[in-house]
Amino acid sequence: MGKGKYLKWEDSEGNVFRPVSLTGNELLNNRTLNKSTAFTYQEREDFDLNGLLPPRVQTFEDQLKRVYQGFSSSSTDIEKYQYLRALQDRNETLFYALISRHIEEMTPIIYTPTVGKACQEFSHRFQIARGLYLTTDNIHDVGSMAREFTGKDIQIIVVTDSQGILGIGDQGVGGMGIPIGKLSLYTLGAGIHPDHCMPIALDIGTDNQDLLADPMYLGIPKKRLTGEPYKAFIKTFVEQVKLHFPKAVLQWEDFSKSNAFDNLSDYEDELPSFNDDVQGTGAVVLAGVIGSTKMKGETLVDQIYAVYGAGAGGVGVADQIFAGLLKEGLTHQEARDRIFILDSRGVVFADREGLDEYKKRFAKPIELAKDWQLAETNKVGLTELIDNVPVTVLLGCSGVGGAFKEHHIKKMLDHTPRPMIFPLSNPTSCCEAVPEDIYKWSDGQAIVATGSPFDDLHFKDSLYRIGQGNNVFIFPGVGLAAITAEVKKITKDMFTTASFALADYVSQEDLDAGCVFPKISELRDVSLHVAKAILEQIKQTDPECLLRDKDITKELALRMWEPAYLPYRRA
């Protein structure tokens, strides 16, 4: 009889096993079932594997040592990425066991920052197909493609149209590296079995001239679909998802800023979906700010916020801070008054012609700056803002490397003894300032968190651990909670709850080290903590909640897969 959610059986004597119908090379080539050299002598006999493997049986530990040696012998990060992807494509159990044991070393390889380079070089480094590639020619054939897809009972989909990949922009079909990487983190953090994960790339062309001119480019070599044809394509895509994957949670990933907000608002009521760049980024940043206020002995309400970068991530951050301020008792107007957003034209004011719709809710009245001294007429940049407004929290979401300068940080010290400076853009080359400079400019008084990983830093007589504001602390727990509760909609409150749960998880030891985020090695526990908090909130607020009379901890345990080999028996 099946036990739990993930193909785990017990016989009448309580022996755990997994029934398997594949044999021979079909079994060895199945990345979910393959044990490679760890197949026992009996399994080799039972599944027609004799002679297809070297004769000596290895233990799981032996395999882990071998593949870690292979990883370590790779000389560059992109070679390590290729090595891990190849391992994932032939033996997913071994892959996840390996990265779970070396999580701090390997997560920057399987995702940011290395995944950015992998997306850029996708066509030249392509190895084995993974996921679905949807185009205008095949968008109506998702059902037939799903029947051929290796995974079944799809519960989480990560989709991108590859237009806004990290800080590097349009990568065409190469953006598939992002959904693959995100879903790896879902499995690593939330234990969602790889068979229930589906990465999707919407290949609707590219405006990247380098890709269009590259004869090796694997995507459709034409300009990107836009306007009403784009909207019609997305509408058809959502319809296909609802029809063929009715249990799935959909995560929108790395869409352009306008499409990110439009797709989210158009379809958040159609199926359980969210945009990690908008909502996940906002939630993890709010958690970091909450942790910083604990260090200072203050509250969210005591701060003035400057969000430098008003794309999907930046406005998502502003939205989540706004939600946090409301939770602490402010009115809508009082909360908005404390948040300033800046784009490439400076502070966003309401009188600007052609102002993007999604920026309007945080636009300021131009009268606010009527008495400010400006270096450039009609432009209020970051310097002018900090010179005239007592900003205590500076959040970088711009993708502009080196945008935060020494005079910005020193001026903030006039407003608060401990400014919060979060240069969040990644990859590392896009970081608005490096932690070493921020500590130097603030004489060690700033509270720092980054988007990219940085090593611990010695400054004067203190050792600082640089917290990484990584969305991976949020989205696996949100996805796991949504799947477990079978929600029809993923709400904004779920992300606010996730923010406060993440901040609650951060220990006093972390805060004493100057760090407002947990260690990435604690990802599994963090994801479980976030998921439990969200499910408790759902139980309290939703009278139709499926978990009302159930033990949440047990329900989550049933769904969280552990990467370990089970004994196989012929099905």
Side-chain angles (χ1 to χ4, degrees):
M1 171 169 188
K3 178 183 178 183
K5 307 291 184 181
Y6 293 114
L7 306 177
K8 189 174 179 181
W9 275 253
E10 285 185 2
D11 61 21
S12 58
E13 298 177 355
N15 298 310
V16 175
F17 69 98
R18 179 167 179 174
V20 173
S21 59
L22 299 181
T23 60
N25 277 312
E26 282 191 330
L27 179 54
L28 293 176
N29 291 326
N30 185 293
R31 56 189 172 220
T32 302
L33 296 174
N34 182 26
K35 298 184 188 181
S36 186
T37 55
F39 279 110
T40 66
Y41 292 122
Q42 186 62 53
E43 287 172 335
R44 295 179 189 211
E45 185 70 31
D46 293 344
F47 292 94
D48 302 329
L49 298 174
N50 282 326
L52 300 181
L53 292 163
R56 183 173 179 178
V57 174
Q58 282 192 307
T59 66
F60 198 37
E61 293 301 320
D62 289 336
Q63 287 186 323
L64 285 166
K65 290 176 184 176
R66 173 166 52 82
V67 293
Y68 184 65
Q69 288 173 357
F71 171 84
S72 301
S73 67
S74 301
S75 56
T76 65
D77 284 350
I78 192 64
E79 287 176 358
K80 291 178 178 179
Y81 174 90
Q82 289 287 97
Y83 181 86
L84 290 176
R85 279 296 320 282
L87 175 61
Q88 183 182 18
D89 287 334
R90 67 177 184 269
N91 187 332
E92 291 204 282
T93 305
L94 188 58
F95 166 78
Y96 283 109
L98 177 69
I99 60 175
S100 66
R101 296 191 183 197
H102 303 278
I103 189 168
E104 294 195 15
E105 182 178 9
M106 293 184 179
T107 48
I109 301 297
I110 64 171
Y111 202 63
T112 54
T114 309
V115 72
K117 186 174 181 64
C119 290
Q120 291 174 311
E121 301 179 4
F122 177 86
S123 294
H124 291 260
R125 293 182 177 272
F126 183 81
Q127 297 178 128
I128 296 177
R130 192 181 191 94
L132 293 187
Y133 297 84
L134 302 184
T135 70
T136 53
D137 292 331
N138 69 16
I139 187 63
H140 294 283
D141 300 327
V142 172
S144 60
M145 287 185 276
R147 286 192 291 272
E148 300 301 324
F149 187 69
T150 54
K152 303 300 177 186
D153 186 24
I154 301 302
Q155 296 180 356
I156 184 75
I157 295 171
V158 177
V159 62
T160 185
D161 71 357
S162 307
Q163 190 171 12
I165 298 296
L166 302 174
I168 56 178
D170 189 341
Q171 297 304 314
V173 77
M176 176 57 99
I178 298 296
I180 291 172
K182 284 280 186 177
L183 288 167
S184 297
L185 297 174
Y186 266 110
T187 300
L188 181 65
I192 298 174
H193 193 283
D195 269 357
H196 303 318
C197 300
M198 176 176 282
I200 296 179
L202 306 178
D203 185 5
I204 49 174
T206 178
D207 294 332
N208 185 323
Q209 290 299 323
D210 291 337
L211 296 179
L212 292 173
D214 184 357
M216 296 290 287
Y217 177 57
L218 292 173
I220 296 174
K222 64 180 183 182
K223 289 288 188 178
R224 184 172 283 276
L225 199 68
T226 60
E228 289 305 316
Y230 174 85
K231 289 183 177 295
F233 179 85
I234 295 296
K235 184 175 186 293
T236 302
F237 165 70
V238 170
E239 290 170 348
Q240 293 286 302
V241 169
K242 290 173 64 179
L243 179 62
H244 299 293
F245 311 111
K247 297 180 182 178
V249 169
L250 177 66
Q251 177 174 318
W252 305 94
E253 189 69 33
D254 284 356
F255 286 72
S256 70
K257 51 193 175 185
S258 57
N259 288 335
F261 285 102
D262 289 347
N263 292 340
L264 181 61
S265 62
D266 288 346
Y267 299 109
E268 62 183 348
D269 293 324
E270 292 281 319
L271 75 174
S273 60
F274 68 96
N275 187 300
D276 186 50
D277 304 302
V278 177
Q279 294 160 293
T281 300
V284 79
V285 174
L286 174 58
V289 174
I290 294 169
S292 300
T293 61
K294 291 180 181 178
M295 285 189 194
K296 297 175 67 173
E298 297 178 353
T299 68
L300 295 176
V301 173
D302 297 323
Q303 315 307 317
I304 301 294
Y305 304 86
V307 182
Y308 187 76
V315 176
V317 166
D319 281 337
Q320 201 59 59
I321 290 171
F322 176 77
L325 291 169
L326 295 184
K327 188 177 178 70
E328 292 207 345
L330 293 190
T331 67
H332 284 63
Q333 190 58 51
E334 289 171 336
R336 287 196 180 92
D337 287 346
R338 284 167 169 76
I339 303 169
F340 293 78
I341 64 172
L342 299 91
D343 58 15
S344 60
R345 296 170 62 182
V347 175
V348 175
F349 287 106
D351 70 329
R352 184 190 296 179
E353 289 187 14
L355 182 61
D356 293 316
E357 187 66 32
Y358 68 91
K359 298 179 184 178
K360 288 182 179 179
R361 54 187 174 273
F362 294 108
K364 300 298 182 190
I366 189 63
E367 295 77 21
L368 187 67
K370 64 180 181 179
D371 297 324
W372 295 1
Q373 296 294 314
L374 306 182
E376 184 179 339
T377 304
N378 297 325
K379 181 175 181 179
V380 179
L382 182 60
T383 298
E384 288 81 6
L385 176 65
I386 294 176
D387 283 348
N388 291 279
V389 174
V391 172
T392 61
V393 182
L394 178 58
L395 307 169
C397 306
S398 67
V400 179
F404 294 169
K405 306 299 184 184
E406 181 175 4
H407 60 270
H408 297 143
I409 310 310
K410 288 188 177 300
K411 184 63 178 178
M412 289 181 69
L413 288 167
D414 291 342
H415 308 319
T416 175
R418 301 211 66 190
M420 305 178 204
I421 316 293
F422 291 9
L424 297 164
S425 294
N426 54 50
T428 310
S429 60
C430 298
C431 191
E432 286 82 5
V434 297
E436 183 177 4
D437 285 342
I438 298 173
Y439 282 118
K440 181 173 64 177
W441 297 336
S442 67
D443 196 31
Q445 295 306 299
I447 301 171
V448 181
T450 59
S452 293
F454 282 87
D455 292 334
D456 293 353
L457 177 68
H458 284 275
F459 182 78
K460 293 188 174 180
D461 295 327
S462 298
L463 177 65
Y464 296 91
R465 184 164 68 80
I466 311 301
Q468 186 186 2
N470 193 326
N471 294 17
V472 75
F473 291 130
I474 294 291
F475 68 81
V478 172
L480 178 60
I483 292 168
T484 302
E486 298 181 24
V487 300
K488 293 182 174 61
K489 179 177 180 177
I490 297 177
T491 65
K492 294 177 182 177
D493 282 347
M494 290 170 67
F495 282 94
T496 305
T497 299
S499 294
F500 280 86
L502 175 56
D504 176 67
Y505 182 90
V506 175
S507 68
Q508 189 59 49
E509 181 182 352
D510 292 324
L511 297 177
D512 290 343
C515 189
V516 294
F517 293 107
K519 295 177 181 177
I520 196 74
S521 59
E522 300 173 78
L523 176 59
R524 190 84 162 196
D525 290 338
V526 172
S527 299
L528 182 61
H529 183 80
V530 168
K532 287 176 68 173
I534 293 171
L535 291 176
E536 291 289 358
Q537 180 233 352
I538 292 173
K539 281 182 69 172
Q540 293 172 12
T541 57
D542 182 3
E544 299 180 2
C545 176
L546 298 176
L547 304 175
R548 181 159 296 279
D549 299 319
K550 295 184 178 181
D551 185 310
I552 286 176
T553 300
K554 289 182 179 179
E555 288 297 311
L556 290 171
L558 284 173
R559 292 181 175 272
M560 296 183 77
W561 173 69
E562 296 288 345
Y565 294 145
L566 294 176
Y568 289 174
R569 296 184 189 176
R570 283 291 289 265

